[in-house]
Amino acid sequence: MEKSEEEKIVIVGGGICGLATALALHRKGLESIVLEKSEKLRATGACIIMQPNGWRALHQLGIASKLRQTALPIQSGHYITVKDGKHTDLLVGNGGECRCLRRSDLMKTLAEELPPNTVRLGCKVVSIKVDANTSAYSILHLHDGTMLMPRVIIGCDGVNSVVASIVGLNSSRHFSTCAIRGVTHYQTLHPFGTAFYLFDKDGVRLGLLPINHNDVYWFLTRKLTSTDSMVSKDQKLIKESTVEAIKGFPNHITEMINNSDVDSLHLTDQMRYRAPWDLLRTKFCKGTVTLAGDALHAMAPFLAQGGSASLEDAVVLARCLSQNMGIALDPTGMKAARAALDQYAKERKMRVFWLSLETFVVGTMHDTSALLIF
């Protein structure tokens, strides 16, 4: 039996961007609910590299100080060509604050700051009806027959976003590169201090960043192969394929991979992205439906900006909504919602376009064996 509920703001997707958006709205005094299709909050991937713009957003969310306690600052960068051992210094985070956070720490911190019952687990959106030309509410249909009629729908449902198709964004594309990520725990202090290292040999690149004094996050990129889809389903095979890919790398790097936590290993066989030209020619909203995070501007990790840009989205969107939701003579709130989303789109379009374009250029160069840095 169908039941209907009226909500002011509904966020689809309970990942980092969805939770951050809910928290940003909460800080502005606006209530929202987050619909997450999984039965529990989960973080895809082991860690996230937080750039200076991400830390500025975390500060505005009120959680930067707490998260700094979980991760070391990355203070230097080193690029090493394996064949000749040549070292080149790298500028990390454009000279600003850069740390490597566990995704689980970030998700937990965001969730703990939200009011009770903000996140609804096991809620799968099956359809969205949008009337872009009238003041009628959009309608969300959930898998259990529930209908929600929110003033605003925010799609934070990732690269395979259901909401993005409603707004009109083209499907994401992918590079011919795969990425493997993992974490290694050292019983005693690891040897990398507070530095980022990037090793390069024959088109295989392995980067590593300390999380704390005992844990190191590492990632490897290489050309996509025909077996990667199968390998991605078995974490033991992921480790074996990584060891195979780094033959000839320094012994301490091979040991780091061999000693990595199997449960932390993740292989992305299709690094997906939104084409930057699609962002330019597409509206960021339809009626009172909009997008944020990977649902809007999925970026491959070549610049490590996807997470930080998503946090920026959350902060800007909450500010725009809070500034407009009090418009007088607007009993339904629809005029205010449209004004807020138009302002959000105007503020974010060129910012995410340039980030996406830079990522696309670096990714395209990486496909032809250029240097990968962030």
Side-chain angles (χ1 to χ4, degrees):
M1 180 177 179
E2 288 192 350
K3 57 181 180 178
S4 60
E5 302 176 19
E6 186 175 316
E7 299 285 351
K8 289 185 178 180
I9 303 174
V10 170
I11 299 166
V12 181
I16 289 171
C17 185
L19 297 180
T21 301
L23 180 56
L25 290 166
H26 174 58
R27 298 297 193 216
K28 295 294 185 179
L30 297 176
E31 294 181 3
S32 66
I33 63 168
V34 178
L35 305 180
E36 169 54 42
K37 64 182 179 180
S38 301
E39 295 297 330
K40 63 179 182 179
L41 292 177
R42 55 182 181 175
T44 302
C47 294
I48 182 170
I49 299 169
M50 195 59 61
Q51 302 275 25
N53 55 317
W55 284 106
R56 289 191 290 271
L58 290 172
H59 176 73
Q60 292 190 58
L61 292 173
I63 58 175
S65 296
K66 186 174 183 180
L67 287 168
R68 286 189 180 101
Q69 298 174 25
T70 71
L72 294 172
I74 306 302
Q75 297 179 323
S76 61
H78 310 279
Y79 171 66
I80 301 170
T81 50
V82 173
K83 282 188 174 181
D84 59 12
K86 183 179 178 181
H87 286 58
T88 304
D89 289 340
L90 294 176
L91 180 65
V92 176
N94 290 320
E97 181 175 10
C98 180
R99 299 174 193 250
C100 183
L101 298 175
R102 289 186 182 272
R103 287 179 178 266
S104 56
D105 288 341
L106 179 54
M107 293 275 288
K108 180 181 178 183
T109 302
L110 288 167
E112 288 177 345
E113 294 291 320
L114 292 173
N117 303 316
T118 297
V119 181
R120 300 186 185 180
L121 300 172
C123 290
K124 184 177 181 180
V125 175
V126 296
S127 68
I128 304 172
K129 182 180 178 181
V130 180
D131 189 335
N133 299 314
T134 74
S135 60
Y137 284 22
S138 300
I139 301 176
L140 279 168
H141 290 268
L142 305 185
H143 72 291
D144 63 356
T146 300
M147 289 192 308
L148 299 179
M149 295 179 290
R151 293 183 184 180
V152 176
I153 298 173
I154 305 170
C156 299
D157 48 339
V159 66
N160 297 312
S161 170
V162 173
V163 185
S165 61
I166 302 298
V167 172
L169 268 181
N170 290 334
S171 299
S172 59
R173 309 162 190 237
H174 65 87
F175 290 103
S176 59
T177 303
C178 87
I180 302 172
R181 303 173 178 90
V183 172
T184 300
H185 176 75
Y186 289 77
Q187 293 296 330
T188 55
L189 300 180
H190 60 68
F192 306 112
T194 58
F196 162 60
Y197 286 87
L198 181 64
F199 296 85
D200 188 354
K201 179 177 182 287
D202 299 330
V204 176
R205 298 174 185 84
L206 185 143
L208 63 89
L209 301 94
I211 303 170
N212 51 44
H213 293 296
N214 297 98
D215 298 302
V216 174
Y217 167 64
W218 56 264
F219 59 88
L220 178 141
T221 59
R222 58 167 172 75
K223 283 288 186 182
L224 195 63
T225 70
S226 59
T227 62
D228 284 333
S229 179
M230 176 194 70
V231 171
S232 68
K233 298 175 175 63
D234 187 323
Q235 290 171 308
K236 290 183 179 179
L237 290 179
I238 294 175
K239 179 180 281 192
E240 291 174 6
S241 73
T242 306
V243 172
E244 180 67 23
I246 60 168
K247 282 186 175 179
F249 277 58
N251 289 337
H252 70 290
I253 298 301
T254 304
E255 290 177 8
M256 180 184 72
I257 303 301
N258 278 322
N259 293 331
S260 59
D261 178 6
V262 173
D263 291 336
S264 74
L265 300 179
H266 183 80
L267 186 153
T268 304
D269 61 331
Q270 290 192 346
M271 294 207 294
R272 307 199 72 86
Y273 68 96
R274 296 257 185 233
W277 48 90
D278 285 343
L279 295 175
L280 267 189
R281 63 192 181 197
T282 304
K283 289 195 67 174
F284 283 20
C285 51
K286 181 177 181 180
T288 58
V289 180
T290 194
L291 303 167
D294 284 349
L296 175 61
H297 50 67
M299 304 176 197
F302 301 111
L303 297 181
Q305 269 292 351
S308 295
S310 297
L311 294 174
E312 284 184 352
D313 291 343
V315 170
V316 173
L317 183 50
R319 172 169 49 77
C320 292
L321 285 166
S322 69
Q323 289 174 348
N324 286 276
M325 292 301 264
I327 290 179
L329 303 177
D330 182 23
T332 68
M334 303 306 288
K335 182 185 295 185
R338 290 171 190 269
L341 298 190
D342 286 345
Q343 180 183 340
Y344 165 69
K346 183 178 180 180
E347 289 194 30
R348 293 302 290 164
K349 175 161 281 194
M350 294 311 298
R351 168 65 170 163
V352 299
F353 166 74
W354 286 114
L355 282 175
S356 296
L357 180 61
E358 189 175 357
T359 302
F360 172 77
V361 170
V362 174
T364 302
M365 293 171 63
H366 183 261
D367 271 0
T368 56
S369 298
L371 172 65
L372 166 68
I373 61 174
F374 69 87

